[in-house]
Amino acid sequence: MTIPQRPEADPARRAAVLTGLGTFLPPRAVSNEELSEHLDTSDEWIRTRTGIRRRYWADPGTATGDLAVEAGARALKSAGVTGADAVVLATTTPDHPCPATAPWVAARLELGPVAAYDVAAVCAGFVYALASATGLILSGVAERVLVIGAETYSGILDPTDRNTAVIFGDGAGAVVLEAGRADAPGALLGFDLGSDGSQADLIAVPGGGSRQRSGGNPPDPATSWFTMQGKKVFARAVAAMGGSSAAVLERVGWPRESVDRLVGHQANVRILHAVADRLGIDRERAVVNLDRVGNTSAASIPLALADAVADGGLRTGERVLLTAFGGGLAWGSAALVWPDVQPC
Ligand code: ACO
């Protein structure tokens, strides 16, 4: 689905504009070497097959909502504001199956009785949340929305499964979107979203939901771990992010060669390069920070944006293409011109 937005048609039209960016990582860094001590893996395999060198895992007692509060507070500070009308939280690892985590985060941030809900689109969650928040602003429901991606995958990883335990990290990233004009730097200019539920089993936590309960089966702890058929997912990730990126570029009228920064979901450096190749975008323009944080699922894109700004790899006025893919299967892309925003 491509959400119709034609910025060139009316540059003064109402738009959702990115005005703040904040991130938070838990303090405990976990190196490839540390994982190799108890798993049949190696730093060399992890680095060459994924690009990951380390990830951060939350300490016991720290949940997704805690990371979201920290990142949300920093995004508000980055935007120079203290309030928002809504909180949209993308996560695969909510604090509870019920209720959603976003209202708790809004309360902890003392935002008052604002709209607050979770978005479940796994690694595409942040782009889905951005699109949802943009809809709140374009419809006039909200003037300012705090959009957060936060995860604690460490809690759903089977520590004995080398296929997944080496890949995922915990963390949170957030942006502030405010009502503004489509010609303002930071305006979200267009989106493309898609899904393929026929491949739902490729990335899944099989147990713990109504599907399992409907079978009359007792809860089985073994089915509560995260599973991924990585090889099958790889090709689909490249195709979906490539196709979705092309669709959003066409929507906003940007030639592919005009993209300054490709900020893709940080799953695997080989995937990021393959998407860049497919689009004809120089690999040097693909932002990579998964070496430092691993795959943080819904938190991955804001964490990559913040690192790119801090490294000088993303500058005010540059054309940015966001693209993400994950369980569902679900994918999405968005385009914006990077505003004068300093991450906190
Ligand atoms: N250490 C050492 N060996 C390993 C490890 C490990 N950690 N993991 C797997 N291997 C082995 C396998 O057992 C296999 O051995 P075999 O050849 O003897 O059978 C071999 O390495 C190759 O395994 P593959 O799965 O084919 O490895 P691949 O090169 O495909 O890399 C990976 C696996 C990194 C998961 C890759 O497939 C990938 O990145 N897939 C896409 C992930 C993705 O984009 N997910 C979507 C977003 S995430 C989300 O939505 C939550």
Side-chain angles (χ1 to χ4, degrees):
M1 178 182 69
T2 302
I3 299 174
Q5 293 183 52
R6 293 208 170 274
E8 70 280 15
D10 177 10
R13 71 174 172 79
R14 184 176 170 92
V17 180
L18 193 154
T19 59
L21 171 62
T23 60
F24 184 75
L25 292 166
R28 187 160 101 78
V30 179
S31 67
N32 292 346
E33 288 80 5
E34 181 179 340
L35 293 177
S36 308
E37 286 168 15
H38 56 87
L39 267 177
D40 182 16
T41 188
S42 64
D43 171 55
E44 203 262 338
W45 190 95
I46 302 169
R47 267 191 298 104
T48 55
R49 302 310 296 165
T50 71
I52 297 167
R53 291 174 184 271
R54 69 163 187 258
R55 73 289 292 142
Y56 293 82
W57 284 354
D59 289 324
T62 300
T64 295
D66 301 314
L67 305 183
V69 167
E70 295 291 341
R74 292 174 187 209
L76 292 168
K77 184 176 174 203
S78 163
V81 299
T82 53
D85 307 323
V87 175
V88 182
L89 171 64
T91 187
T92 320
T93 51
D95 288 4
H96 310 280
C98 169
T101 305
W104 184 84
V105 171
R108 283 288 305 275
L109 290 171
E110 299 180 352
L111 298 179
V114 299
Y117 56 93
D118 291 359
V119 167
V122 197
C123 295
F126 191 77
V127 175
Y128 267 73
L130 276 182
S132 177
T134 297
L136 293 179
I137 287 174
L138 295 185
S139 62
V141 170
E143 293 296 309
R144 185 186 298 141
V145 186
L146 180 60
V147 183
I148 309 173
E151 302 281 13
T152 47
Y153 263 65
S154 58
I156 59 169
L157 294 174
D158 176 352
T160 66
D161 180 7
R162 68 178 183 174
N163 293 300
T164 55
V166 304
I167 290 173
F168 293 91
D170 301 340
V175 299
V176 174
L177 298 187
E178 299 192 56
R181 285 168 50 119
D183 57 357
L188 272 305
L189 299 174
F191 288 93
D192 176 76
L193 305 176
S195 74
D196 178 5
S198 73
Q199 305 294 309
D201 60 334
L202 293 184
I203 298 171
V205 176
S210 69
R211 182 67 60 195
Q212 185 180 56
R213 288 193 296 277
S214 72
N217 300 315
D220 176 1
T223 62
S224 63
W225 298 126
F226 175 88
T227 62
M228 180 169 74
Q229 297 180 46
K231 206 173 201 56
K232 289 185 180 170
V233 170
F234 193 110
R236 288 170 173 83
V238 174
M241 286 197 279
S244 178
S245 294
V248 87
L249 290 178
E250 192 177 334
R251 170 62 52 194
V252 303
W254 288 359
R256 296 177 182 199
E257 61 276 13
S258 74
V259 173
D260 295 304
R261 294 295 159 202
L262 172 63
V263 184
H265 168 53
Q266 304 285 308
N268 188 318
V269 69
R270 293 184 292 134
I271 292 177
L272 294 172
H273 287 163
V275 172
D277 292 350
R278 201 180 174 103
L279 290 167
I281 293 173
D282 187 346
R283 287 184 178 191
E284 295 297 310
R285 297 186 182 190
V287 166
V288 178
N289 82 330
L290 58 84
D291 52 323
R292 290 165 262 176
V293 299
N295 180 341
T296 57
S297 193
S300 137
I301 283 192
L303 286 169
L305 286 170
D307 274 349
V309 174
D311 292 350
L314 175 54
R315 299 189 186 88
T316 304
E318 289 188 324
R319 287 186 167 186
V320 182
L321 171 61
L322 309 179
T323 187
F325 172 91
L329 302 174
W331 55 86
S333 304
L336 74 160
V337 173
W338 191 249
D340 184 13
V341 160
Q342 288 309 313
C344 287

